[in-house]
């Protein structure tokens, strides 16, 4: 739901102001910051609110990166045939980032949660 609401809003304001890079960096920074705070909450309600807010705040990243990629391709007069090659490497980077982020979150959350249960925290 946050993607459905957040993506059009972030992109609309980025288009109206013409400051795509500022909105891209802001969306990425705010979303990441909010999601990292989930380490400090234990109840389901808090976790759901943090994930929803983080999703809403970071939802503008993907469409703005796609838009920047298309603008870069047009600006540098890259052939449409090369676009597929660029997208493949973009997807490889995205999934590598996803796996590393998931691993990092899993290690941090599991160690943080286990240390709280053991009374070490």
């Amino acid at each position: 739901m946050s993607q459905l609401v957040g993506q059009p809003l972030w992109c609309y304001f980025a288009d109206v102001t013409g400051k795509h890079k500022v909105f891209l960096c802001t969306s990425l920074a705010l979303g990441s910051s909010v999601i990292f705070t989930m380490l400090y909450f234990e109840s389901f309600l808090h976790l759901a609110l943090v994930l929803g807010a983080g999703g809403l705040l970071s939802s503008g990243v993907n469409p703005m990166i796609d838009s920047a990629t298309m603008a870069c391709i047009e600006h540098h007069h890259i052939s449409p045939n090369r676009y597929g090659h660029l997208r493949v490497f973009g997807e490889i980077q995205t999934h590598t980032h996803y796996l590393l982020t998931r691993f990092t979150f899993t290690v941090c959350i599991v160690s943080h949660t286990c240390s709280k249960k053991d009374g070490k925290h």
Side-chain angles (χ1 to χ4, degrees), residues 76-98:
H76 292 291
H77 306 293
I78 296 173
S79 130
N81 296 336
R82 297 259 314 143
Y83 177 70
H85 296 284
L86 294 172
R87 291 296 297 166
V88 166
F89 285 107
E91 289 300 314
I92 290 171
Q93 180 273 329
T94 298
H95 291 292
T96 302
H97 179 261
Y98 170 74

Side-chain angles (χ1 to χ4, degrees), residues 7-72:
Q7 283 182 355
L9 286 175
W10 278 108
C11 296
Y12 171 77
F13 289 121
D15 287 342
V16 167
T17 61
K19 297 182 179 187
H20 293 90
K21 188 183 286 186
V22 171
F23 277 92
L24 175 63
C25 293
T26 302
S27 177
L28 186 60
L30 288 175
S32 299
S33 299
V34 169
I35 288 175
F36 269 111
T37 64
M38 75 180 171
L39 293 171
Y40 301 103
F41 297 112
E42 294 183 18
S43 73
F44 176 77
L45 178 61
H46 287 124
L47 182 61
L49 290 173
V50 166
L51 288 175
L56 181 67
L57 292 170
S58 65
S59 65
V61 173
N62 287 336
M64 285 191 269
I65 287 177
D66 283 340
S67 177
T69 302
M70 294 304 290
C72 183

